[in-house]
Amino acid sequence: MKASVIVFPGSNCDRDVQVALQKFQIDTTMVWHQETSLPKSDLVVLPGGFSYGDYLRCGSMASKSKVMNEVIKHAKDGGYVFGICNGFQILTETGLLPGALLRNSKLKFICKNVFIKTTNNQTAFTKKIPENKILSIPIAHNEGNYFASKEEIQSLKEYNQIVFQYCDEEGNISGESNPNGSFLNIAGISNQTKNVLGMMPHPERSIDQLLGGVDGQGIFQSLL
Amino acid sequence: MKFEIFVTLKKEVLDPQGKAVEGAIQNLGLSNISNIRQGKYFTLEVNDSNEEKATQQAEEACKKLLANLTIEEYSIKKIG
């Protein structure tokens, strides 16, 4: 398994995800956003951070970077693309994933551990996680409030694209367990063909007990 | 040719920032003011003397970058 991690100006979780991928023996190359080609990769990761200082809209300018043409091609050819946090925002801005991520409903940057339910384990990113498994994974974002039109939500449900939903420790998906106002408590979605995943929580921060938890490991193990 | 562009959230999209600003306006005692929505304002120049073509290019900038049509709408006005 070979991975490329795209580095944008303002990315700050790129090296964290590199460490996570390497922990699972995934051969990882860092790729600067101005590159016009990708190294041969099975997986492309768009890491978390604040690409372009979140100017205009989070992820909007990164989505127009030169290398993104190659990332879009890679996704259209069936290659895996994984966007974490700012990477998820970039994926919605490119149109590889539907919807958009708005300011958190309470207008606060939220940095804490949350619980998410794995509502779809039929993707390349979740296939080794038991169905409906509750994971404790940190979030750290100001714009994680998932929004999509009624038609898009209908389509997400129809194609079983909702992969992770915020829940409480018992797995109840409710208003109280929704940290940011996301529609349907959505924490992560895939595209229709399930080779592109975007999620706001940071699994790369949850791969070692030293970091406070290992619940993020299942995603990296699924990709092997 | 110079244009001004307003980008605003669609009606059906909640605007928590606008709501917070509205709360502050109410605190000032300006109780007749309501329904505040926050948006973005751009000015730009297009190097094309044909108004129709210049407008088309400004539109393209809106559709491809300045506005996210999933959540926002835009309006364009020629100002010079």
Side-chain angles (χ1 to χ4, degrees):
Chain A
M1 167 67 77
K2 283 188 192 303
S4 292
V5 176
I6 311 293
V7 185
F8 299 98
S11 295
N12 67 2
C13 303
D14 44 335
R15 279 170 290 169
D16 304 47
V17 81
Q18 180 187 25
V19 168
L21 292 162
Q22 286 172 345
K23 186 182 166 88
F24 295 95
Q25 281 78 49
I26 297 173
D27 185 8
T28 304
T29 310
M30 309 305 274
V31 180
W32 184 236
H33 71 114
Q34 284 177 324
E35 296 292 336
T36 48
S37 65
L38 275 178
K40 194 171 167 10
S41 317
D42 306 293
L43 167 71
V44 175
V45 180
L46 305 180
F50 301 84
S51 57
Y52 293 86
D54 282 347
Y55 292 173
L56 189 63
R57 290 179 309 278
C58 301
S60 62
M61 258 132 16
S63 74
K64 311 296 182 239
S65 292
K66 284 182 187 162
V67 77
M68 286 309 294
N69 294 323
E70 295 305 306
V71 176
I72 292 167
K73 254 189 237 163
H74 173 81
K76 299 245 152 107
D77 290 343
Y80 300 142
V81 179
F82 184 20
I84 302 167
C85 197
N86 190 221
F88 184 12
Q89 295 162 341
I90 296 168
L91 286 173
T92 62
E93 285 282 345
T94 60
L96 284 174
L97 292 175
L101 291 138
L102 305 174
R103 280 286 291 270
N104 294 341
S105 56
K106 290 182 183 153
L107 298 172
K108 286 199 170 139
F109 186 95
I110 309 167
C111 183
K112 63 174 186 180
N113 283 337
V114 295
F115 294 102
I116 55 173
K117 191 182 237 182
T118 315
T119 38
N120 180 355
N121 71 344
Q122 304 293 309
T123 78
F125 306 89
T126 54
K127 63 178 187 277
K128 289 187 187 153
I129 304 173
E131 195 179 4
N132 291 325
K133 167 99 173 161
I134 299 153
L135 308 173
S136 170
I137 304 218
I139 54 169
H141 61 244
N142 197 44
E143 283 86 5
N145 177 355
Y146 185 78
F147 173 88
S149 67
K150 274 184 196 151
E151 297 75 29
E152 284 169 327
I153 290 287
Q154 192 54 41
S155 170
L156 282 176
K157 286 181 180 166
E158 193 177 325
Y159 289 93
N160 206 14
Q161 288 170 254
I162 302 172
V163 180
F164 295 113
Q165 286 171 285
Y166 299 109
C167 64
D168 63 18
E169 200 167 356
E170 277 77 46
N172 300 306
I173 295 166
S174 62
E176 290 77 50
S177 59
N178 186 339
N180 54 23
S182 277
F183 209 78
L184 296 177
N185 285 38
I186 284 174
I189 57 167
S190 72
N191 62 344
Q192 287 186 6
T193 46
K194 314 290 189 297
N195 60 312
V196 178
L197 175 73
M199 66 190 291
M200 289 313 294
H202 284 272
E204 80 282 13
R205 295 187 190 179
S206 196
I207 48 138
D208 195 302
Q209 281 302 353
L210 278 173
L211 298 173
V214 292
D215 281 7
Q217 288 188 349
I219 292 174
F220 297 97
Q221 283 161 343
S222 295
L223 285 163
L224 297 176
Chain B
M1 211 163 279
K2 198 167 178 185
F3 294 89
E4 65 176 17
I5 292 165
F6 289 94
V7 175
T8 47
L9 285 170
K10 287 180 179 172
K11 276 200 302 288
E12 62 270 28
V13 178
L14 286 175
D15 177 12
Q17 284 185 95
K19 274 266 174 280
V21 173
E22 191 173 316
I25 291 277
Q26 299 293 326
N27 291 345
L28 290 172
L30 297 167
S31 56
N32 284 335
I33 297 179
S34 62
N35 289 322
I36 294 182
R37 307 277 289 171
Q38 188 174 320
K40 296 184 183 109
Y41 172 71
F42 303 87
T43 57
L44 56 80
E45 288 180 25
V46 183
N47 187 16
D48 196 324
S49 53
N50 180 316
E51 186 173 342
E52 195 181 330
K53 281 188 187 158
T55 307
Q56 268 174 12
Q57 288 166 71
E59 287 249 358
E60 195 176 344
C62 288
K63 285 180 187 157
K64 289 190 172 166
L65 184 65
L66 301 181
N68 176 339
L69 300 182
T70 304
I71 50 173
E72 294 169 325
E73 52 200 10
Y74 63 86
S75 64
I76 297 178
K77 193 175 158 196
K78 183 174 166 294
I79 53 168

